[in-house]
Amino acid sequence: MHYIPLKVALFYLLNPYTVLSCVAKSTCAINNTLIAFFILATIKGSAFLSAIFLALATYQSLYPITLFVPGLLYLLQRQYIPVKMKSRAFWIFSWEYAMMYMGSLVVIICLSFFLLSSWDFIPAVYGFMYPESPSHPDLCREEVIPGCPAMTPSSRENKEMFEHFSLFFVCVFQINVFFYTIPLAIKLKEHPIFFMFIQIAIISIFKSYPTVGDVALYMAFFPVWNHLYRFLRNIFVLACIIIVCSLLFPVLWHLWIYAGSANSNFFYAITLTFNVGQILGTCYAPSTLLRMNVIQPILQGVHGLWGERKTGSTGQCDRVSVVPGAQIWCSEGSFLGKVLSKCVGSNWVLDLKPWGRERERMEGGK
Amino acid sequence: MGLLSDPVRRRALARLVLRLNAPLCLLSYVAGIAWFLALAFPPLTQRTYMSENAMGSTMVEEQFVGGERARVFARDFAAYRRKSGALPVAWLERTMRSVGLEVYTQSFSRKLPFPDETHERYMVSGTNVYGILRALRAASTESLVLTVPCGPDSTNSQAVGLLLALAAHFRGQIYWAKDIIFLVTEHDLLGTEAWLEAYHDVNVTGMQSSFLQGRAGAIQAAVALELSSDVVTSLDVIVEGLNGQLPNLDLLNLFQTFCQKGGLLCTLQGKLQPQDWTSLDGPLQGLQTLLLMVLRQASGRSHGPHGLFLRYGVEALTLRGINSFRQYKYDLVAVGKALEGMFRKLNHLLERLHQSFFFYLLPALSRFVSIGLYMPAAGFLLLVLGLKALELWMQLHEAGVGPEEGGGSPGPSSSLLSAQGVGLASLVAPLLISQAVGLALYILPVLGQHVATQHFPVSESEAVVLTLLAIYAAGLALPHNTHRVVTTQAPDRGWMALKLVALIYLALQLGCITLTNFSLGFLLAATMVPAAVLTKPHGPRPLYAALLVLTSPAAVLLGSLFLWRELQEMPLSLAEGWQLFLSALAQGVLEHHTYGALLFPLLALGLYPCWLLFWNVLFWK
């Protein structure tokens, strides 16, 4: 846990993607700032500021609306309000937060209206989702350096042929950003900051006009979950995919635009491969976290540890319970044993609060 | 993804890769080389065919009869040239105007970074003269170019004569749909580059040129002509352009069609094409032609003014008339008819040439190998690097996939674990130092040439070359960079991590190079991959050091020069080879500064630092 803020700052500032987006003079730096302020305000516990920054971020591009859920979960967790349908405190706080958020959003949109004296800006800015608007994405990506044509002849023909399906296509396309929020909320409700990180990653993969500046934002959070990377599978393959794709982007771009010997399919292919790499990483990270979830921190001595493993054919479980300084018994070189052997002797602390069932169990005594 | 996520299967796959790594690498390398050598043989070569419909089915009747006129123009040009010592601009302007073209001139000047000893020039200034034949009924949106590069001596006068005669003949026709630009450039490629930059309104090489007053629309295709004699025995075609870019294969097919139609002999690299591909002779000669083409494409030099057109998206060829000892000779009328036919067909183009291949290799003029068939050769070579990198990664991180240790005893695994602290931090220093040496290799020779000439009795270009070699050799003396930072507990991990990074770096660079210039990528991969994979600090160090030095970029350049001359049946002695090598180095640096050739920066800033990392791995203490 040493120097994690410094590492996060380094990961963002020295990231080639960040430098590239600055060179391209893109406004994604402003987007990233707003999201970063939102995360800061949420972690500090200030619901009002967090709602305001989330409203600002949503105002810029519609996708950060999905960050409402992890923000709400964190603020609830911070105030020890359990996420239960029957709990009154849960509904009261959610309502308050939602009202603050909607209120700030309405205020900002009305301010825009007063600046422009018309409502035309709403379809112009947010209308990229709808099929009739001229600026809706033709399933293409825009590179950091602008200049790529938004349509190839083939996609133009497809669009004309499937005109009455265009709403369907747009819905399927846009649904990917919003669809994963509820399942992730159910699964990761005890790790809202991690949920926020994954949600930002999903936004930057599936949004309509993604840029590498968005990738830089969620990459900056890698040092916070340092301890997961020992258990992250296929990190070599993932890293290679991302690095190779990043280097091939300019080469294929040059071949397409300047040499004229390639066409946009090459570019779309490399974009697809880059997305595959990102999606692999985004899928492996929560599963690693959830596997790690069986381990509670040992070093600080407050929490207990147990793991369960079926032995033999009878299906009985072994339970290993540990207090600091004690020896650990594990029957085999199972996953648990390996993880424990890694935990011993290292210097990190998992900042997981006892929560839910584990907390009750601990308070009630074993 | 089941294979990657299921731990049992993953472990089995990992064990397979680790055990079979060396045989797989060897097999893959041999497969790559064998595939490349098999490219000249019939199943992998195809006959060329015309892909563009607009150029295929129409019949043209060539009517050019201006042979005598061309000779007269050529003699006059040569005479005026000799008298004035430079391009006779006024005479050219007068003649072009009398033929009926709109004439414009452009003056340019350039101070080369250091004196060019092969062409004997330093401060170059000249004038380009060009005439535009406007199409009668078209809107001047597209154009074709016929260009004749004129060097300092009067070697190309017949080409100028033919150009003027063709212009006179074309002026009388009514079927032109595109404008035709007849361009005569001075100082051959420098003038062509100045004209192209001014035409497209860019400035990539620091040339100072005057503004172009007359333009004719987007250039669709260009033909460069080099003729030095009144009669020719064959017409040679040159395809390789700057940075290994090639024109569309359709242009070559067009040239071949018209040569066959007029009975004109056409050659590639000065040699006739083998006729029988069924026995072994044809493919062997095809292999020789293929290797020569690969070497020329890898050098990235533009062997003719057409190479500079390719960068601007203009398909271009250079045609050179060869006058050898054959008995049957063709006069300028035959060459003129071939050119007229080509231009008439190009006139029919509806859009830019895009139907046929942009990436190909030519074992013969009528046979080609397409990119889909030759790319697996490079893929096999890069697979070797990938396999080795995978093996190193697994060795470095054995805890996840290694042989299963019974019992979670933390004892032996803790030493492994603490050595994993060899993170990226300790690798930054060798990387930075290697890149810094590469940067010095790129910047210092040209920058420091004046200082060098003050202190040593050498000329500027010799100073540049010697500084290059000095910095290159000095990099060899820097292997002891940062191994001290590594923990003494597990010294093996340091060099393995560095080698992993270097292998990935090399694979990425070679991959990117292969996509744009297959020949350069393949040549470098074939030589550098074995040395890179075999390097390690243990084992016979002098042997590995010799292997690594022999496969370093400079040695590859030297070796390929010898191979090139050997394939052209003009073998070099060692002294001659060394002189050629030094002049090639100077030319490489010069071409980077004058035309933007990328071989020098790629080798200095990309491959040499990578090679230095392997040198560091070899001398790891």
Side-chain angles (χ1 to χ4, degrees):
Chain A
M1 300 285 274
H2 300 305
Y3 306 114
I4 284 191
L6 181 65
K7 281 188 195 162
V8 169
L10 279 178
F11 261 60
Y12 185 74
L13 293 171
L14 295 184
N15 198 344
Y17 294 146
T18 318
V19 175
L20 272 179
S21 63
C22 285
V23 166
K25 299 182 193 168
S26 148
T27 56
C28 71
I30 302 179
N31 281 352
N32 293 351
T33 312
L34 288 172
I35 296 181
F37 272 133
F38 160 69
I39 297 177
L40 178 66
T42 312
I43 289 183
K44 292 292 182 188
S46 157
F48 183 56
L49 273 182
S50 129
I52 290 182
F53 281 120
L54 187 61
L56 278 171
T58 313
Y59 170 70
Q60 271 214 308
S61 66
L62 219 45
Y63 299 107
I65 198 172
T66 53
L67 293 174
F68 179 81
V69 179
L72 180 64
L73 282 177
Y74 184 80
L75 290 167
L76 286 172
Q77 193 188 59
R78 204 184 159 82
Q79 298 174 17
Y80 301 108
I81 302 175
V83 181
K84 281 201 195 50
M85 292 297 138
K86 296 181 215 126
S87 147
R88 277 197 66 196
F90 164 68
W91 285 112
I92 290 176
F93 187 77
S94 309
W95 182 250
E96 281 176 9
Y97 190 58
M99 278 299 107
M100 284 193 279
Y101 170 63
M102 294 305 302
S104 344
L105 196 57
V106 164
V107 164
I108 297 171
I109 292 187
C110 288
L111 272 176
S112 310
F113 169 68
F114 287 129
L115 268 177
L116 292 173
S117 315
S118 79
W119 292 107
D120 290 342
F121 73 97
I122 292 191
V125 176
Y126 304 115
F128 58 88
M129 294 204 187
Y130 297 102
E132 291 86 34
S133 85
S135 58
H136 92 273
D138 284 309
L139 304 177
C140 88
R141 291 186 65 123
E142 191 174 303
E143 237 266 348
V144 173
I145 302 165
C148 91
M151 279 211 239
T152 63
S154 51
S155 79
R156 204 183 296 132
E157 282 151 22
N158 281 341
K159 182 166 170 279
E160 284 163 6
M161 269 206 317
F162 298 115
E163 194 67 51
H164 37 278
F165 288 121
S166 60
L167 181 62
F168 171 67
F169 288 149
V170 167
C171 284
V172 167
F173 184 67
Q174 298 290 351
I175 209 172
N176 267 315
V177 187
F178 302 101
F179 188 65
Y180 300 105
T181 311
I182 303 297
L184 279 175
I186 296 172
K187 199 67 183 166
L188 289 177
K189 69 170 177 272
E190 285 136 25
H191 311 280
I193 298 295
F194 189 76
F195 176 23
M196 211 180 289
F197 163 66
I198 295 292
Q199 190 60 52
I200 293 177
I202 288 178
I203 291 176
S204 67
I205 296 172
F206 290 110
K207 72 193 280 201
S208 317
Y209 290 101
T211 60
V212 291
D214 305 315
V215 177
L217 178 65
Y218 80 80
M219 274 177 77
F221 289 109
F222 284 170
V224 181
W225 288 285
N226 235 340
H227 49 273
L228 288 183
Y229 295 116
R230 286 181 207 157
F231 311 107
L232 194 62
R233 288 182 173 139
N234 307 318
I235 198 173
F236 181 63
V237 174
L238 277 180
C240 278
I241 291 179
I242 301 286
I243 294 177
V244 167
C245 289
S246 313
L247 276 187
L248 282 182
F249 267 130
V251 173
L252 291 177
W253 167 264
H254 170 85
L255 276 181
W256 173 27
I257 299 287
Y258 291 105
S261 38
N263 55 22
S264 53
N265 290 327
F266 289 61
F267 196 71
Y268 295 159
I270 201 73
T271 311
L272 205 61
T273 320
F274 188 71
N275 270 352
V276 164
Q278 281 184 291
I279 291 171
L280 278 178
T282 319
C283 288
Y284 284 137
S287 72
T288 313
L289 181 82
L290 292 172
R291 275 189 297 137
M292 278 289 299
N293 211 9
V294 305
I295 321 282
Q296 299 284 344
I298 301 169
L299 295 180
Q300 292 310 305
V302 179
H303 308 279
L305 168 98
W306 52 80
E308 299 187 2
R309 191 185 53 83
K310 289 201 171 20
T311 48
S313 54
T314 58
Q316 284 171 344
C317 291
D318 285 343
R319 277 218 182 121
V320 174
S321 127
V322 165
V323 289
Q327 280 200 309
I328 306 166
W329 294 280
C330 279
S331 299
E332 271 191 22
S334 61
F335 171 72
L336 178 63
K338 284 204 197 77
V339 164
L340 287 178
S341 67
K342 284 185 205 329
C343 291
V344 171
S346 66
N347 215 4
W348 43 263
V349 171
L350 280 177
D351 195 17
L352 295 172
K353 289 183 189 255
W355 190 244
R357 278 181 297 131
E358 282 102 10
R359 187 183 184 200
E360 287 159 16
R361 219 181 286 187
M362 282 221 261
E363 284 166 353
K366 300 184 212 28
Chain B
M1 258 168 58
L3 192 62
L4 288 180
S5 330
D6 180 11
V8 174
R9 275 189 241 158
R10 263 186 92 227
R11 246 173 269 136
L13 179 71
R15 228 175 295 149
L16 193 76
V17 168
L18 278 175
R19 213 172 39 208
L20 292 182
N21 195 279
L24 270 178
C25 284
L26 185 63
L27 194 66
S28 185
Y29 183 73
V30 168
I33 301 287
W35 188 293
F36 178 75
L37 290 175
L39 285 176
F41 291 84
L44 291 175
T45 62
Q46 299 159 271
R47 283 192 153 274
T48 55
Y49 52 91
M50 191 71 88
S51 301
E52 174 71 51
N53 264 333
M55 291 207 304
S57 53
T58 51
M59 295 292 291
V60 291
E61 270 306 316
E62 296 98 8
Q63 288 150 359
F64 180 65
V65 286
E68 187 54 44
R69 202 168 178 194
R71 274 195 291 276
V72 167
F73 280 140
R75 268 201 303 272
D76 284 346
F77 177 74
Y80 277 92
R81 176 78 157 294
R82 242 179 325 227
K83 204 166 70 176
S84 65
L87 200 69
V89 173
W91 179 85
L92 267 174
E93 274 188 88
R94 245 189 353 255
T95 321
M96 280 190 182
R97 212 164 274 137
S98 75
V99 158
L101 307 174
E102 277 176 36
V103 187
Y104 304 96
T105 56
Q106 181 214 12
S107 60
F108 63 93
S109 72
R110 174 92 162 105
K111 179 161 168 266
L112 299 178
F114 54 90
D116 183 3
E117 297 206 332
T118 39
H119 300 280
E120 276 150 28
R121 55 191 182 191
Y122 181 42
M123 310 263 295
V124 177
S125 68
T127 321
N128 296 330
V129 183
Y130 65 104
I132 304 182
L133 170 66
R134 299 280 178 196
L136 282 177
R137 287 175 287 186
S140 287
T141 47
E142 293 164 353
S143 55
L144 303 167
V145 174
L146 178 62
T147 175
V148 169
C150 289
D153 47 353
S154 51
T155 44
N156 241 350
S157 20
Q158 275 82 8
V160 174
L162 186 59
L163 175 129
L164 294 167
L166 274 173
H169 174 71
F170 286 173
R171 186 71 176 80
Q173 312 303 323
I174 55 167
Y175 45 68
W176 296 111
K178 304 183 205 288
D179 294 348
I180 307 188
I181 304 179
F182 296 91
L183 171 68
V184 180
T185 57
E186 198 170 0
H187 297 292
D188 46 74
L189 271 81
L190 278 175
T192 316
E193 181 64 29
W195 188 83
L196 279 169
E197 280 188 11
Y199 195 87
H200 292 96
D201 212 10
V202 293
N203 197 345
V204 286
T205 60
M207 184 91 62
Q208 286 119 18
S209 49
S210 69
F211 183 66
L212 276 190
Q213 265 137 7
R215 280 193 172 83
I219 307 180
Q220 304 281 298
V223 176
L225 193 59
E226 293 180 13
L227 274 180
S228 310
S229 52
D230 277 350
V231 289
V232 291
T233 51
S234 63
L235 262 188
D236 197 45
V237 65
I238 306 169
V239 289
E240 299 90 4
L242 192 66
N243 295 328
Q245 209 176 346
L246 297 170
N248 198 312
L249 194 57
D250 264 343
L251 203 55
L252 201 66
N253 299 336
L254 183 72
F255 164 70
Q256 211 196 340
T257 314
F258 277 101
C259 283
Q260 274 170 355
K261 186 173 179 202
L264 196 56
L265 260 184
C266 45
T267 58
L268 182 68
Q269 295 166 9
K271 293 196 301 279
L272 278 179
Q273 304 312 302
Q275 293 309 318
D276 62 334
W277 285 82
T278 47
S279 71
L280 208 57
D281 292 328
L284 278 180
Q285 194 184 344
L287 185 64
Q288 188 185 12
T289 314
L290 189 80
L291 282 174
L292 272 173
M293 179 180 173
V294 161
L295 285 173
R296 287 160 75 128
Q297 199 185 359
S299 73
R301 302 187 64 190
S302 174
H303 295 264
H306 74 289
L308 301 172
F309 279 88
L310 291 172
R311 195 174 20 186
Y312 296 91
V314 178
E315 310 306 327
L317 277 182
T318 298
L319 303 179
R320 188 176 289 166
I322 296 185
N323 194 6
S324 69
F325 298 109
R326 287 182 165 270
Q327 263 192 323
Y328 196 74
K329 305 224 189 244
Y330 305 90
D331 62 348
L332 290 177
V333 178
V335 180
K337 279 195 176 163
L339 281 171
E340 180 193 357
M342 282 176 73
F343 270 83
R344 284 197 69 175
K345 277 283 179 79
L346 287 171
N347 188 33
H348 292 142
L349 278 179
L350 298 168
E351 44 187 344
R352 282 178 197 265
L353 285 166
H354 67 282
Q355 294 276 13
S356 189
F357 297 90
F358 287 100
F359 295 104
Y360 50 87
L361 290 176
L362 294 173
L365 195 51
S366 58
R367 308 231 168 209
F368 75 104
V369 186
S370 79
I371 184 171
L373 289 172
Y374 68 59
M375 206 45 115
F380 279 125
L381 292 182
L382 294 179
L383 183 66
V384 176
L385 290 174
L387 282 173
K388 192 71 187 174
L390 200 60
E391 183 201 1
L392 276 173
W393 175 266
M394 287 179 180
Q395 279 175 355
L396 275 176
H397 293 261
E398 243 160 18
V401 292
E404 282 296 284
E405 289 134 14
S409 47
S413 47
S414 68
S415 63
L416 248 151
L417 194 58
S418 55
Q420 276 180 8
V422 169
L424 297 175
S426 71
L427 296 177
V428 166
L431 276 171
L432 274 182
I433 294 182
S434 311
Q435 283 300 138
V437 177
L439 200 66
L441 191 67
Y442 177 68
I443 295 183
L444 280 183
V446 178
L447 211 58
Q449 52 172 312
H450 299 294
V451 174
T453 45
Q454 275 169 9
H455 294 282
F456 300 100
V458 288
S459 68
E460 276 99 351
S461 68
E462 280 175 17
V464 168
V465 172
L466 291 174
T467 318
L468 265 180
L469 290 173
I471 299 181
Y472 195 91
L476 298 182
L478 285 177
H480 314 291
N481 288 334
T482 51
H483 56 276
R484 298 175 203 103
V485 179
V486 175
T487 63
T488 49
Q489 226 174 352
D492 261 4
R493 306 298 157 184
W495 71 262
M496 285 171 94
L498 184 61
K499 188 172 173 187
L500 177 67
V501 170
L503 280 172
I504 295 181
Y505 190 27
L506 184 66
L508 283 173
Q509 275 180 15
L510 287 178
C512 291
I513 293 176
T514 310
L515 272 180
T516 46
N517 186 350
F518 166 77
S519 309
L520 182 63
F522 184 80
L523 193 66
L524 289 168
T527 47
M528 289 181 81
V529 160
V533 162
L534 290 173
T535 306
K536 53 177 184 272
H538 318 298
R541 206 172 264 198
L543 186 66
Y544 286 145
L547 182 66
L548 206 55
V549 166
L550 279 178
T551 54
S552 68
V556 169
L557 180 62
L558 183 63
S560 52
L561 279 174
F562 277 104
L563 181 64
W564 176 55
R565 275 305 184 86
E566 192 65 46
L567 285 169
Q568 280 185 324
E569 282 142 23
M570 291 192 289
L572 291 169
S573 65
L574 274 176
E576 283 173 9
W578 182 252
Q579 285 302 317
L580 193 62
F581 175 62
L582 293 180
S583 78
L585 284 178
Q587 284 296 305
V589 178
L590 206 55
E591 287 199 355
H592 168 62
H593 288 278
T594 47
Y595 309 128
L598 288 176
L599 184 66
F600 173 56
L602 271 174
L603 289 184
L605 292 172
L607 284 157
Y608 177 65
C610 198
W611 181 84
L612 265 187
L613 287 176
F614 287 107
W615 188 254
N616 274 341
V617 167
L618 182 63
F619 284 97
W620 196 270
K621 274 219 189 55

